Amino acid sequence: MSVLRAGNTTLEDGKVRICVPIAYETENEILEESVRIGKSSVADIAEWRIDWYQDVFQPRKRNALAKKIRKNLQGKPLLVTFRSRREGGERDITPTAYQALLDEIIESNSIESNVVDLLDVELSQGMACVQELIKHAHQMGIGVIVSQHDFKKTPEASNLITTMEQMAGYGADVCKIAVMPQSLADVAALLLATGTMKENHPETLLITMSMGRTGCVSRLCGGLFGSVMSFGSMGKASAPGQVSAKELSDVLWAIERAVE
C-alpha cells in the first residue's frame, strides 16, 4: 500500500484526507483561516493558495507568513499551491516565472525548517519544469502533487488514465486530476479512470474530482475508487462544487462505516 508522510498525517490508500483551502488576499484573512483550520477536528491538511495572496511575489513577506501559518496549523500539513489562471487560478504567470517562484518556495524550506510539506506542480507547465521541480522538492523533503485541471470539459477515461500515468512517470508522489462534467456520464468517466488507474498502478497515490454541482458526488465517494484526498471549505471555496469540510467529514465517516 502506498503511503506518503506529510506533517502529522499520511496520504494513503483507503483513507480520504480532508484538505481545507486558504484562499484570501490579505495576511489577516489568511492567518484567521489558518487558526480555524488548526483548531478544526475535521481538517487534516491546509492548502495555501498563494495565487490569491497579494504579496505572493515578495519572498520575505511570503516566507514570514508561511511560518505563521505553520504555527497556527498546530502540526497539520501545509500544501502550497500557485494555481495559474489557465487552470482556474487568480493570476497569469509564465512558465519561467512559475518555476522560479516554486524554486524559491522549495529553497525556503531548508531556511525555514520544513514549513512546507507538500507542493502542487501543474503538469501544463511542461515536462522539464515539472521534473526539475520534483527533483528539487524531493531534495528538500517536500512531497509533490502533480496536477491538471480542466474547467471546460471531461476528457475520455482513457485520456485521463494516460495523463495520470504521465504524472507518475515524471516522479509525482501524488497524481491529481480535476475536470468539469457536462453530464453524469462525465462523472462516471472520471470515477472509471480513477478506479482503473488504481487497479493498474496500485503503487500510485491519486486525487481526483469532478467539479461543479453535477460532479459533487465524486468528492464524496471518490475514496471508494482510489482518491486519497477531498477538498472541503471552512471559509472561501477554491473550486466549483466544493462542499463544507464538516459536511464532507460527515459523509466520509458514514461511507467508511458502511464499507467496514
Side-chain angles (χ1 to χ4, degrees):
M1 182 174 66
S2 299
V3 178
L4 176 64
R5 169 66 61 178
N8 66 358
T9 191
T10 58
L11 296 180
E12 57 186 284
D13 292 328
K15 178 66 178 179
V16 181
R17 302 299 182 186
I18 297 176
C19 183
V20 178
I22 303 173
Y24 293 97
E25 296 180 5
T26 69
E27 179 171 333
N28 285 341
E29 290 174 309
I30 290 167
L31 290 177
E32 287 174 2
E33 187 74 347
S34 67
V35 168
R36 286 193 289 268
I37 294 171
K39 293 179 178 179
S40 170
S41 61
V42 300
D44 299 305
I45 298 168
E47 179 188 35
W48 184 18
R49 282 284 303 273
I50 60 173
D51 52 297
W52 280 86
Y53 176 42
Q54 61 187 12
D55 294 319
V56 61
F57 296 113
Q58 298 187 40
R60 289 186 180 180
K61 288 186 177 181
R62 188 186 65 235
N63 293 342
L65 181 52
K67 290 180 66 176
K68 295 176 183 178
I69 293 170
R70 180 70 172 200
K71 182 178 180 180
N72 290 344
L73 292 178
Q74 301 184 34
K76 293 179 180 178
L78 179 61
L79 162 63
V80 173
T81 298
F82 185 102
R83 184 68 62 231
S84 65
R85 193 182 299 276
R86 68 170 174 263
E87 294 212 17
E90 289 299 296
R91 298 171 186 260
D92 292 314
I93 191 169
T94 66
T96 299
Y98 178 90
Q99 184 170 353
L101 174 62
L102 266 59
D103 274 326
E104 286 180 0
I105 292 168
I106 294 167
E107 281 297 324
S108 72
N109 225 41
S110 60
I111 300 171
E112 306 294 343
S113 301
N114 297 325
V115 173
V116 180
D117 298 288
L118 298 166
L119 186 69
D120 182 288
V121 176
E122 294 179 344
L123 182 66
S124 62
Q125 298 297 335
M127 179 180 68
C129 174
V130 173
Q131 290 182 321
E132 289 169 11
L133 286 171
I134 290 174
K135 181 180 179 180
H136 191 189
H138 286 170
Q139 289 172 344
M140 297 300 179
I142 300 172
V144 177
I145 298 173
V146 176
S147 65
Q148 184 177 81
H149 300 72
D150 191 328
F151 280 77
K152 295 181 179 179
K153 64 183 186 306
T154 299
E156 293 183 1
S158 59
N159 292 338
L160 294 174
I161 293 168
T162 298
T163 297
M164 288 186 279
E165 289 176 336
Q166 182 182 17
M167 294 171 172
Y170 286 170
D173 296 297
V174 186
C175 305
K176 180 187 177 188
I177 291 280
V179 292
M180 186 63 74
Q182 301 301 321
S183 64
L184 291 175
D186 283 346
V187 182
L190 180 279
L191 295 174
L192 172 62
T194 306
T196 302
M197 180 69 184
K198 179 50 61 178
E199 288 179 351
N200 293 343
H201 303 278
E203 75 286 354
T204 303
L205 293 172
L206 308 174
I207 300 171
T208 66
M209 68 205 71
S210 185
M211 296 182 285
R213 182 176 181 179
T214 301
C216 181
V217 64
S218 69
R219 298 179 181 274
L220 307 176
C221 71
L224 298 175
F225 295 82
S227 186
V228 300
M229 187 189 297
S230 192
F231 292 75
S233 61
M234 293 182 66
K236 184 185 296 182
S238 62
Q242 203 170 87
V243 300
S244 79
K246 177 60 171 62
E247 292 171 337
L248 179 58
S249 176
D250 290 343
V251 173
L252 293 177
W253 180 84
I255 290 174
E256 288 179 4
R257 288 292 301 272
V259 300
E260 283 181 353

